[in-house]
Amino acid sequence: MESSLLLPAFYLPPVSYFHIIQQYNQPLLIERCEHYVKQTYRTRTKIATANGVLDLIVPILHGVKEHIPMKDIRINYDFNWQRLHWLSIQTAYRSSPYFEYYEDDFAWFYAQRHDFLIDFNIEQLQLLLKCMKINRSITFTETYISTVEPLDYREVIHPKKPSLLEQPKPYYQVFEEKHGFLPDLSVVDLLFNQGPQSKNYL
């Protein structure tokens, strides 16, 4: 059986997530059964704005149970976070070279409601792989396994841990003159600025 690259399902994942996918030419195995982990890229992404890095966070419904499987986490629509996120993305990237090219594909996610976070994240992942012209099959875990060797990246890519991009190569960013190059943001930052060349950066 061919080994797989085990990854969590992130919201508009960082560049380092796709760097790992490109580094290992393996099918993707997406973790569905782990307990939901707070303050990770599962619900947040980072974009570059005129004021610096902005975190966009998808609100979720918190139940009374502490340990909820990722596949059962529901998105909270008590306030219109979709409009806020999409306006933030538009404001940040409307002057980037390729935003208009991809705009309609991503606008859809902020006009439709997904009940479950995992479905929202996975559909974005599928779109991003297509936009980046990365061909990988995707399967999903059926049970939680605590240790998987050797390609287990469930806990490695984290906002509070060092980036896997040890010496990231700069690419053009809209606000680079103001803030300098900002590494390992959401991969949409790379995509909107580099377009079809994004895959080569990885």
Side-chain angles (χ1 to χ4, degrees):
M1 179 179 171
E2 187 178 11
S3 62
S4 297
L5 178 60
L6 181 58
L7 290 164
F10 285 164
Y11 172 44
L12 296 178
V15 172
S16 53
Y17 186 94
F18 288 89
H19 170 72
I20 293 300
I21 291 174
Q22 185 67 354
Q23 186 175 347
Y24 296 105
N25 188 21
Q26 306 282 356
L28 307 184
L29 178 62
I30 303 301
E31 176 62 76
R32 295 176 68 251
C33 302
E34 64 182 355
H35 288 151
Y36 170 73
V37 185
K38 297 178 182 177
Q39 298 184 346
T40 69
Y41 289 122
R42 289 160 182 81
T43 52
R44 71 181 58 209
T45 193
K46 296 177 182 291
I47 63 172
T49 73
N51 297 319
V53 176
L54 174 66
D55 282 1
L56 300 177
I57 301 172
V58 178
I60 61 170
L61 294 171
H62 294 275
V64 292
K65 294 188 295 183
E66 282 294 313
H67 301 299
I68 304 172
M70 178 68 179
K71 64 182 177 64
D72 295 332
I73 295 293
R74 291 180 177 270
I75 297 175
N76 188 341
Y77 292 98
D78 285 350
F79 76 95
N80 196 355
W81 63 268
Q82 289 174 292
R83 181 175 182 275
L84 176 64
H85 283 209
W86 185 236
L87 282 175
S88 298
I89 291 170
Q90 286 178 303
T91 302
Y93 295 110
R94 66 161 61 103
S95 62
S96 64
Y98 294 96
F99 179 71
E100 287 187 0
Y101 184 77
Y102 298 110
E103 181 177 8
D104 290 345
D105 289 333
F106 287 91
W108 180 86
F109 289 99
Y110 302 95
Q112 305 292 326
R113 288 195 174 193
H114 291 72
D115 289 336
F116 293 95
L117 178 65
I118 191 93
D119 296 332
F120 182 62
N121 289 354
I122 287 168
E123 285 195 38
Q124 286 187 336
L125 173 60
Q126 290 168 332
L127 172 61
L128 286 162
L129 289 169
K130 180 181 176 182
C131 292
M132 306 279 284
K133 295 181 169 56
I134 298 174
N135 184 22
R136 296 288 188 280
S137 63
I138 300 176
T139 56
F140 307 99
T141 58
E142 298 298 332
T143 57
Y144 180 76
I145 302 172
S146 59
T147 56
V148 181
E149 294 293 343
L151 301 178
D152 182 354
Y153 280 86
R154 289 174 295 182
E155 303 301 328
V156 178
I157 305 169
H158 192 287
K160 296 182 180 179
K161 292 182 179 179
S163 171
L164 296 180
L165 300 176
E166 295 179 2
Q167 294 180 314
K169 299 173 291 183
Y171 57 84
Y172 169 80
Q173 292 176 325
V174 176
F175 302 107
E176 187 171 352
E177 287 189 7
K178 189 172 184 180
H179 302 295
F181 177 69
L182 300 171
D184 209 12
L185 300 175
S186 168
V187 76
V188 297
D189 183 86
L190 175 63
L191 188 65
F192 295 154
N193 286 307
Q194 296 295 300
Q197 299 303 314
S198 298
K199 182 179 177 180
N200 296 336
Y201 175 84
L202 301 172

